Amino acid sequence: MTSSALAVKPALLPKGQQTPRVLHRPEFDSEDDARDAIDLMELCGQILDVWQCLLVCMTLATRGGRLAASTVGALVARQNGKGGWLEAVAVWSLFEAHLTGRQFGTNPKQPGRKNFTLWTAHELKTSDEAYLRVKALIQANDDLAAEVVRWDGGLTGQHVIELRDGSRLAFLARSKSSGRGFSPRRVIFDESQQFSALAHRAMLYATSAQGTNRQLIYTGTVPSEENDSEVWTGIRDIGRKGVSERAAWAEWTPVGSDDPAAKIDPESWDVRASSNPALGTDRLLHETIDAEWEAAQSDIDGFLRERLSVWPSLDAGTGVISAQAWADCQGALVEPTGPVTLTVETQLDRQATALILVGAGDDGVPQVRVAVQAPGVSWVPEMVADICDAQPSVRAVVLDGKGPAGPLEDDIAEALDAAGLDVDLVIATTSDFAEACAMAEDAINERAIRHDDDPVLNAAVRGAVKQTMGDADKWSRRKGGASVVALAGMSLGLWQYRRLAAMEYDLMDSVL
């Protein structure tokens, strides 16, 4: 059954909520700049909605003359008009020195260093469209347009608007090296749901020279499994906790949507109104959401994600793996009496690697232990050889050849050879990894694996997220974030251990 706005007069249906369900703002003593920015937009022909004004106030509020929030994040579904907020901030930021007489440059002798703002997006077209919208707003005000000395256009994904006083507003499509060579005071990260750690690092280095009064603004939608969303997820988690003294966060989401176990009614107009502040305006008609819902019957999860911004927090656990089942698997680890496997698993951004041991004692129950988890990858080959040398029971080293640890294959092989170790190096395929994930989940549900309550493994299990691959599921390295490393390593280790155990059983059976 689907709902229909046509069955009820649109005037009787709820309109979008202007106040976000989750709102955290650092302490502030003035919103004067925010109100000036809102008035400036009106002079450019654009009147902001109440919720857009709230975001402008959250962004530009000050305390003791400094920006109250050094980091700002907002989660709102597509087509609601978050661009109005960003445009107000960007236009104010560009003209702030001109309108207030404030000085921002680190070197007053250098022209073009008054106030530099950078607007970045994942896609070229988004960067281009943002530039064209801001350009149109400025050109709608003759006094502002008269201050512009350079319009650097062209649909290339990189544009600059420069004023007589040297203030600049640049638009840039992101890459792992974009932002280098710039030194902006304020950076807008549009489309944050697709934002790699490498690109983020480049931007952070670019703004570090601006000192304590810099500002980073993140906005986006709920990421899908295909998105590189570790940075955006981290911003959300900080915002939801609401304890940071310098981070502001707002999200328009349904009640309970951060709980993995909650059931969200996608047909409820109250739910839809809580997720879409522009609902009932020309930007987002009730009929539009009705049409989207009817078209989404084969992809309800997509509707919940894209239109209702349902995004469970991993801190509370995703619920993919039963917390009780995992707790029941806890027990004291014993000395292995049979073959042991050592798994190498690396984060997607290659910032950390885990080495996981899987073996069994006399009772035959596989037990898992985190041997090492440390930053980077350069240390891995030598450490693998050291562990294998110190523990002769390690019969195989396993890694996913198509996963983040795949590039380490040759170096690990060389390290094992150099140490004179007779240890198999097993390169799992994509289908092997899917089989390993199913095997690990079954082992947990059947209480057929043992762990020692290691916090690294606990976090990995709590944050497990699946993605579908053909007819099978596997752990999502991208959506599960950094914590999934230990779970993926445990799964591959269990998979290889059972293969070794089966081979030993077959060998003994043939001898008898």
Side-chain angles (χ1 to χ4, degrees), residues 168-215:
R168 292 178 294 160
L169 171 60
F171 300 81
L172 185 68
R174 286 193 295 267
S175 70
K176 66 182 180 180
S177 60
S178 61
R180 298 188 187 278
F182 294 105
S183 186
R185 170 176 172 251
R186 176 177 281 121
V187 184
I188 296 172
F189 299 115
D190 201 356
E191 298 180 320
S192 292
Q193 71 274 8
Q194 180 61 38
F195 193 8
S196 72
L198 287 175
H200 187 244
R201 191 179 306 118
M203 295 294 181
L204 290 183
Y205 290 152
T207 62
S208 61
Q210 291 298 324
T212 58
N213 211 30
R214 71 173 184 174
Q215 188 175 63

Side-chain angles (χ1 to χ4, degrees), residues 21 240 253-266 271 300-301 304 308 310-313 316-320:
R21 181 182 70 87
R240 283 183 175 174
T253 54
V255 173
S257 60
D258 46 0
D259 181 358
K263 301 297 182 183
I264 306 299
D265 182 4
V271 167
I300 303 300
D301 287 343
L304 290 169
L308 302 184
V310 174
W311 192 7
S313 292
T318 60
V320 170

Side-chain angles (χ1 to χ4, degrees), residues 161-338:
I161 301 173
E162 185 172 354
L163 306 187
R164 297 178 188 276
D165 67 7
S167 295
R168 292 178 294 160
L169 171 60
F171 300 81
L172 185 68
R174 286 193 295 267
S175 70
K176 66 182 180 180
S177 60
S178 61
R180 298 188 187 278
F182 294 105
S183 186
R185 170 176 172 251
R186 176 177 281 121
V187 184
I188 296 172
F189 299 115
D190 201 356
E191 298 180 320
S192 292
Q193 71 274 8
Q194 180 61 38
F195 193 8
S196 72
L198 287 175
H200 187 244
R201 191 179 306 118
M203 295 294 181
L204 290 183
Y205 290 152
T207 62
S208 61
Q210 291 298 324
T212 58
N213 211 30
R214 71 173 184 174
Q215 188 175 63
L216 306 177
I217 302 171
Y218 302 82
T219 184
T221 57
V222 176
S224 65
E225 292 179 352
E226 292 75 24
N227 292 141
D228 192 346
S229 58
E230 187 173 345
V231 172
W232 182 220
T233 301
I235 297 297
R236 177 209 63 179
D237 290 344
I238 292 171
R240 283 183 175 174
K241 290 175 182 176
V243 296
S244 173
E245 295 181 353
R246 296 280 286 155
W249 175 258
E251 65 173 77
W252 278 263
T253 54
V255 173
S257 60
D258 46 0
D259 181 358
K263 301 297 182 183
I264 306 299
D265 182 4
E267 296 185 89
S268 165
W269 281 109
D270 288 336
V271 167
R272 295 174 178 184
S274 67
S275 307
N276 295 278
L279 180 61
T281 68
D282 290 341
R283 285 196 302 274
L284 189 58
L285 301 173
H286 292 86
E287 291 88 342
T288 300
I289 293 187
D290 255 343
E292 291 176 343
W293 170 245
E294 291 177 359
Q297 296 309 297
S298 61
D299 185 19
I300 303 300
D301 287 343
F303 182 85
L304 290 169
R305 181 180 67 247
E306 296 286 344
R307 177 50 61 205
L308 302 184
S309 297
V310 174
W311 192 7
S313 292
L314 298 186
D315 284 350
T318 60
V320 170
I321 297 177
S322 166
Q324 186 59 58
W326 178 248
D328 291 344
C329 293
Q330 180 184 341
L333 303 187
V334 299
E335 190 68 25
T337 57

Side-chain angles (χ1 to χ4, degrees), residues 209-496:
Q210 291 298 324
T212 58
N213 211 30
R214 71 173 184 174
Q215 188 175 63
L216 306 177
I217 302 171
Y218 302 82
T219 184
T221 57
V222 176
S224 65
E225 292 179 352
E226 292 75 24
N227 292 141
D228 192 346
S229 58
E230 187 173 345
V231 172
W232 182 220
T233 301
I235 297 297
R236 177 209 63 179
D237 290 344
I238 292 171
R240 283 183 175 174
K241 290 175 182 176
V243 296
S244 173
E245 295 181 353
R246 296 280 286 155
W249 175 258
E251 65 173 77
W252 278 263
T253 54
V255 173
S257 60
D258 46 0
D259 181 358
K263 301 297 182 183
I264 306 299
D265 182 4
E267 296 185 89
S268 165
W269 281 109
D270 288 336
V271 167
R272 295 174 178 184
S274 67
S275 307
N276 295 278
L279 180 61
T281 68
D282 290 341
R283 285 196 302 274
L284 189 58
L285 301 173
H286 292 86
E287 291 88 342
T288 300
I289 293 187
D290 255 343
E292 291 176 343
W293 170 245
E294 291 177 359
Q297 296 309 297
S298 61
D299 185 19
I300 303 300
D301 287 343
F303 182 85
L304 290 169
R305 181 180 67 247
E306 296 286 344
R307 177 50 61 205
L308 302 184
S309 297
V310 174
W311 192 7
S313 292
L314 298 186
D315 284 350
T318 60
V320 170
I321 297 177
S322 166
Q324 186 59 58
W326 178 248
D328 291 344
C329 293
Q330 180 184 341
L333 303 187
V334 299
E335 190 68 25
T337 57
V340 174
T341 63
L342 176 63
T343 307
V344 180
E345 180 66 22
T346 299
Q347 286 180 200
L348 273 177
D349 61 5
R350 305 181 68 72
Q351 293 302 297
T353 301
L355 305 183
I356 309 294
L357 290 164
V358 177
D362 290 332
D363 61 2
V365 177
Q367 53 188 23
V368 56
R369 180 169 66 86
V370 179
V372 183
Q373 178 160 299
V377 297
S378 60
W379 56 271
V380 172
E382 183 178 355
M383 180 62 72
V384 166
D386 288 347
I387 292 175
C388 292
D389 187 39
Q391 301 187 40
S393 57
V394 176
R395 296 272 300 279
V397 174
V398 59
L399 57 87
D400 184 351
K402 297 296 184 181
L408 295 172
E409 176 185 349
D410 290 343
D411 291 339
I412 292 174
E414 290 178 6
L416 292 173
D417 287 342
L421 297 168
D422 184 19
V423 177
D424 292 334
L425 180 57
V426 179
I427 308 303
T429 65
T430 302
S431 60
D432 291 336
F433 181 56
E435 180 182 345
C437 295
M439 186 180 293
E441 184 176 12
D442 289 344
I444 294 170
N445 290 333
E446 296 167 5
R447 282 65 170 176
I449 193 169
R450 186 179 295 124
H451 66 90
D452 60 351
D453 200 30
D454 187 295
V456 172
L457 284 170
N458 292 343
V461 170
R462 188 170 59 247
V465 178
K466 289 182 180 179
Q467 72 177 85
T468 301
M469 183 190 69
D471 295 329
D473 289 335
K474 65 177 183 177
W475 309 130
S476 174
R477 291 185 173 103
R478 191 174 303 281
K479 199 168 183 181
S483 66
V484 78
V485 170
L487 178 60
M490 180 187 79
S491 302
L492 282 170
L494 178 63
W495 170 78
Q496 179 60 23

Side-chain angles (χ1 to χ4, degrees), residues 86-102:
L86 298 179
E87 289 152 16
V89 172
V91 172
W92 170 257
S93 191
L94 176 62
F95 287 93
E96 183 178 359
H98 167 68
L99 295 172
T100 67
R102 297 169 185 163

